[in-house]
Amino acid sequence: MKFISWNVNGLRAVAGKGFAEIFEALDADFFCLQETKLSEGQLDLEFLGYQSYWNYADKKGYSGTAVYSRHTPLSVDYGIGVDEHDHEGRVVTLEMPDFYLVNVYVPNSQDGLRRLDYRMQWEDAFRAYVSGLAARKGVVICGDMNVAHEEIDLKNPATNHFNAGFSDEERAKMSELLAAGFRDSWRDAHPLEAKYSWWSYRMAARERNVGWRIDYFLVSEGLAPRIAGTDIHNEIFGSDHCPVELVLSD
């Protein structure tokens, strides 16, 4: 069973850059998107054999998540059940027979860490949400989690120590999430490899591979033995992020 996650940074823009061809080539059972930047009815983009589920932000042109699935879920939930956190279209959860798939776009702490306090509250609420799911069955969490967890996860850790995505506070929240019973699937498989999933549009960062790994597949402990493959598709363009992949055995 193959999962793909991609922050497309505006699906309408990526749709004009070969998204349909990339979607078909990756041939996933579940294709999860973040930062769709859509309102309902703005884009009709469906694929044969897939159902799609969309969570739109109240604010137009902002945030948003979606999941394309080949498999019919038992149920679908939008958000995490906390009103103050559920107006930005950040979470879609599909309940499958033996696991939950949680597609998430974690809030950015923004320049000067001006949204860090909100981010900390969101992290605690999200951790409580996925921990509750994990008490029932396995959980796969994927998406742009807006944090490079360890120094190996970005090119220039020293100069980014106090920047959004690499603050001590954000990294500690990721540690708390992992400690709550989740595994970083790609890092477990590649403990010493520096490979990135996001590059700034500034200063030719992608051409120079000055990047960050902020897109993840986390799996609950019980699903870890089923991990059959992981990948970061840095050969795929169209966004400032690239797709990441998880394969689970049946």
Side-chain angles (χ1 to χ4, degrees), residues 196-240:
Y196 310 124
S197 65
W198 173 80
W199 303 260
S200 170
Y201 281 132
R202 304 171 186 170
M203 300 178 67
R206 188 154 188 178
E207 290 80 354
R208 298 185 297 120
N209 198 29
V210 179
W212 301 47
R213 186 176 74 97
I214 59 176
D215 301 272
Y216 294 82
F217 274 99
L218 309 183
V219 299
S220 54
E221 291 285 354
L223 288 178
R226 291 177 55 184
I227 297 173
T230 63
D231 206 350
I232 297 176
H233 288 283
N234 59 2
E235 77 282 5
I236 293 177
F237 290 76
S239 168
D240 52 348

Side-chain angles (χ1 to χ4, degrees), residues 126-164:
F126 181 73
R127 188 174 65 256
Y129 172 71
V130 294
S131 294
L133 297 180
R136 298 176 221 162
K137 62 176 77 172
V139 176
V140 176
I141 303 168
C142 71
D144 175 2
M145 304 193 76
N146 260 317
V147 62
H149 185 219
E150 304 289 354
E151 289 192 353
I152 194 174
D153 293 318
L154 73 168
K155 183 69 170 181
N156 295 315
T159 55
N160 283 290
H161 185 193
F162 299 106
N163 289 339

Side-chain angles (χ1 to χ4, degrees), residues 1-204:
M1 191 171 288
K2 184 176 180 180
F3 303 76
I4 292 290
S5 175
W6 192 10
N7 180 323
V8 291
N9 193 12
L11 185 55
R12 284 174 294 174
V14 176
K17 300 176 183 176
F19 176 78
E21 292 77 10
I22 294 168
F23 184 98
E24 299 284 358
L26 288 172
D27 192 28
D29 292 278
F30 301 92
F31 203 114
C32 301
L33 306 178
Q34 304 88 45
E35 213 171 353
T36 55
K37 297 184 178 180
L38 290 175
S39 298
E40 189 169 7
Q42 282 190 307
L43 183 67
D44 182 15
L45 186 61
E46 298 297 335
F47 296 93
L48 185 64
Y50 290 85
Q51 303 161 67
S52 63
Y53 307 91
W54 302 78
N55 194 1
Y56 305 104
D58 292 354
K59 180 181 176 182
K60 290 185 177 181
Y62 180 72
S63 187
T65 48
V67 179
Y68 290 94
S69 174
R70 275 184 173 141
H71 308 277
T72 302
L74 302 177
S75 64
V76 182
D77 286 304
Y78 301 94
I80 59 175
V82 180
D83 184 69
E84 66 179 300
H85 300 310
D86 285 347
H87 292 273
E88 296 183 350
R90 293 190 176 275
V91 179
V92 179
T93 301
L94 272 58
E95 180 184 3
M96 307 307 294
D98 56 344
F99 63 88
Y100 291 95
L101 173 61
V102 181
N103 177 31
V104 61
Y105 176 40
V106 172
N108 191 304
S109 295
Q110 300 184 348
D111 291 342
L113 300 177
R114 63 182 184 273
R115 212 182 186 199
L116 181 63
D117 288 346
Y118 173 75
R119 166 76 176 263
M120 296 296 98
Q121 297 168 24
W122 196 95
E123 291 275 4
D124 290 340
F126 181 73
R127 188 174 65 256
Y129 172 71
V130 294
S131 294
L133 297 180
R136 298 176 221 162
K137 62 176 77 172
V139 176
V140 176
I141 303 168
C142 71
D144 175 2
M145 304 193 76
N146 260 317
V147 62
H149 185 219
E150 304 289 354
E151 289 192 353
I152 194 174
D153 293 318
L154 73 168
K155 183 69 170 181
N156 295 315
T159 55
N160 283 290
H161 185 193
F162 299 106
N163 289 339
F166 197 60
S167 67
D168 292 341
E169 294 89 346
E170 292 162 310
R171 296 170 65 196
K173 289 299 183 186
M174 175 60 92
S175 295
E176 286 185 54
L177 180 56
L178 295 174
F182 296 93
R183 303 277 287 274
D184 178 349
S185 62
W186 195 86
R187 180 55 65 208
D188 281 1
H190 308 271
L192 302 177
E193 185 175 352
K195 195 170 184 180
Y196 310 124
S197 65
W198 173 80
W199 303 260
S200 170
Y201 281 132
R202 304 171 186 170
M203 300 178 67

